[in-house]
Amino acid sequence: MFLAMDTVFDQCSIAILDSNGQVLSSHTETGKRQQTQQILPMIDAALSEAGIRLTDIRALIFNRGPGAFSGIRINTAVVQALSVAHDIPCVGVSSLQAIAQCAYQKYGLPQVYSALDARMQQVYFGQYEIAVDEQSAHSIMQPVLVEGSKSTEQLLDYDSQTEANFPIVGNGASLLTLNEGQVCHDDVWPDAVVIGQIGIAQFMAIGGTEAAQALPKYLRNQAWKTLKEQGKA
């Protein structure tokens, strides 16, 4: 069994899945104001609904970002605490990869650019294409890597244009300048089920990490500082 969670996409979303990606319990509460109060009771409710305990969980899967700093901090802190308390490995999933996976499931798009509004006149951005996971035979969106790079995730300024004409998905899609004939879908919003499906494939391929290595990914330097400390207030 796997426990997946997301508080990055302006929601509190919890899901429990088996190793085949089948959903045993899934609940999502929209809005981010009550996430710190919602997340632990929602985890307890999901475990109860699935008829299992935390000791039955094989790995804890979480949205590692990039995205809203407070949302990343909440689910990362919860995963780290549960991992230490119950000796359960962790799996961090990219929010941009989750957007791409959701777009594939919703629209059948085999290759996309993911774009998430980063505020401050920028978007978080990455390129992904479908690949069949050999362990589960499920189709999982994977990052398209340029030579010498480990990731395509980056920050782009509003109104930037992409090199290729692949569809752009996510709530940052409409903030970029489209090429002629390029399609965008800004209504793609993943939940913990999508996070879990990607995380299970990742865990089966390379395993998980201990709590100390379950780290967030912000992309923006000094994201943990206040606007005043960043010199932007």
Side-chain angles (χ1 to χ4, degrees):
M1 306 298 175
F2 295 83
L3 172 61
M5 63 190 75
D6 169 58
T7 56
V8 177
F9 291 118
D10 291 348
Q11 63 188 1
C12 190
S13 185
I14 303 295
I16 294 177
L17 306 92
D18 66 18
S19 58
N20 294 317
Q22 297 300 309
V23 180
L24 304 181
S25 178
S26 173
H27 296 280
T28 298
E29 297 289 340
T30 58
K32 59 184 179 180
R33 294 185 180 275
Q34 301 298 320
Q35 289 171 324
T36 53
Q37 289 78 30
Q38 291 172 330
I39 188 166
L40 292 178
M42 287 179 67
I43 290 173
D44 287 339
L47 291 169
S48 178
E49 182 175 356
I52 62 174
R53 299 176 296 177
L54 268 173
T55 52
D56 299 315
I57 296 297
R58 191 173 180 187
L60 301 162
I61 303 169
F62 69 105
N63 186 341
R64 63 164 174 77
F69 169 72
S70 60
I72 296 173
R73 178 175 55 84
I74 290 168
N75 65 191
T76 302
V78 169
V79 161
Q80 290 175 335
L82 293 178
S83 175
V84 170
H86 300 277
D87 193 26
I88 306 172
C90 309
V91 179
V93 170
S94 163
S95 58
L96 294 172
Q97 185 180 8
I99 291 171
Q101 183 69 20
C102 189
Y104 171 72
Q105 293 176 357
K106 186 172 184 177
Y107 295 107
L109 301 171
Q111 189 166 33
V112 299
Y113 294 115
S114 285
L116 179 64
D117 189 4
R119 313 296 182 187
M120 298 167 61
Q121 303 297 306
Q122 291 181 312
V123 300
Y124 300 115
F125 180 86
Q127 183 180 354
Y128 300 85
E129 65 182 4
I130 204 68
V132 177
D133 176 63
E134 295 181 358
Q135 296 287 338
S136 64
H138 292 158
S139 297
I140 301 293
M141 280 288 200
Q142 299 292 348
V144 177
L145 304 180
V146 297
E147 187 175 354
S149 173
K150 295 182 179 180
S151 174
T152 63
E153 296 181 0
Q154 59 185 294
L155 280 164
L156 288 183
D157 293 333
Y158 284 1
D159 299 324
S160 297
Q161 285 184 289
T162 60
E163 292 184 4
N165 233 27
F166 301 122
I168 310 177
V169 298
N171 75 343
S174 59
L175 302 173
L176 299 175
T177 299
L178 299 180
N179 297 314
E180 184 177 355
Q182 190 171 24
V183 174
C184 80
H185 296 284
D186 57 10
D187 59 343
V188 177
W189 210 243
D191 60 8
V193 171
V194 176
I195 300 289
Q197 291 167 342
I198 298 172
I200 291 170
Q202 185 174 318
F203 180 81
M204 295 300 186
I206 62 174
T209 65
E210 60 183 18
Q213 300 302 315
L215 302 175
K217 186 165 185 179
Y218 298 115
L219 284 189
R220 179 172 282 143
N221 293 333
Q222 300 182 330
W224 54 273
K225 291 187 176 183
T226 65
L227 291 177
K228 184 176 181 181
E229 289 172 327
Q230 294 178 48
K232 297 173 182 175

